[in-house]
Amino acid sequence: MSYRIGQGIDFHQLVEGREFWLGGVLIPHSKGALGHSDADVLLHAICDAMLGALCLGDIGHHFPDTDQRYKGIDSKLLLKKCYELITTRNYAIVNIDATILLQAPKIKPHILRMQEAIAGVLCLSIDDVSVKATTTEHMSFIGREEGIVATANVLLKKGE
Ligand SMILES: [Zn+2]
């Protein structure tokens, strides 16, 4: 059995006047992440971890922010495309472990829906999609609510 591990990290600014998409879920908040797509930092980190596990480059390589096709795109579609890149190479996801770093709002009430959204796209059980969140105790750009970061680790297993 062949296993591959990948990690991903993503950063976005938080600004007023944007919808706040996180983990495939719309979060009620006064600010949202700035980006070419819907700027879903958690899904982008998971995409990068999946691509990294198979040495396929990064999300910017596959979905350049200069490409108008990806303007405002739902990042669940990017996640699905990354999943197809994995499955066409005969790999399946074993599990995902992700952490969101942000000061506000409280993310805990939304975590189950994020797990369901991600598991739905990737044909996983929610027990295989760990989503955690932490603040930075008011330190740095995250603590000042200027930005949001997500990291993800993904384990892939090759089919028989
Ligand atoms: Zn991103």
Side-chain angles (χ1 to χ4, degrees), residues 5-160:
I5 193 165
Q7 65 90 26
I9 186 165
D10 193 36
F11 296 70
H12 282 270
Q13 287 182 53
L14 283 174
V15 297
E16 286 173 8
R18 287 270 300 183
E19 289 186 340
F20 189 19
W21 285 93
L22 188 59
V25 171
L26 185 59
I27 308 284
H29 192 44
S30 57
K31 291 180 174 181
L34 185 63
H36 184 67
S37 65
D38 66 6
D40 191 321
V41 68
L42 176 57
L43 296 192
H44 294 178
I46 293 171
C47 284
D48 260 356
M50 289 164 62
L51 296 171
L54 292 186
C55 213
L56 294 174
D58 64 20
I59 192 171
H61 169 76
H62 290 273
F63 314 109
D65 64 9
T66 50
D67 190 329
Q68 287 305 305
R69 282 180 299 168
Y70 304 125
K71 187 166 169 53
I73 196 170
D74 180 345
S75 292
K76 287 191 284 295
L77 296 174
L78 305 182
L79 187 66
K80 189 170 193 311
K81 285 176 187 280
C82 290
Y83 182 61
E84 287 164 3
L85 290 168
I86 301 305
T87 54
T88 55
R89 287 164 175 80
N90 198 26
Y91 277 88
I93 297 168
V94 177
N95 73 302
I96 296 170
D97 185 17
T99 305
I100 305 158
L101 293 87
L102 88 170
Q103 193 64 48
K106 288 264 177 279
I107 288 305
K108 198 172 177 188
H110 308 291
I111 282 186
L112 178 60
R113 282 201 302 142
M114 291 183 196
Q115 289 175 288
E116 289 170 347
I118 296 162
V121 174
L122 300 177
C123 305
L124 293 169
S125 152
I126 62 166
D127 295 336
D128 299 323
V129 182
S130 162
V131 177
K132 313 184 298 297
T134 183
T135 72
T136 57
E137 302 286 348
H138 300 283
M139 293 180 286
S140 84
F141 68 93
I142 298 168
R144 292 190 299 271
E145 302 182 40
E146 296 166 3
I148 180 169
V149 178
T151 72
N153 294 302
V154 175
L155 184 66
L156 305 183
K157 176 176 69 177
K158 191 156 196 173
E160 300 302 324

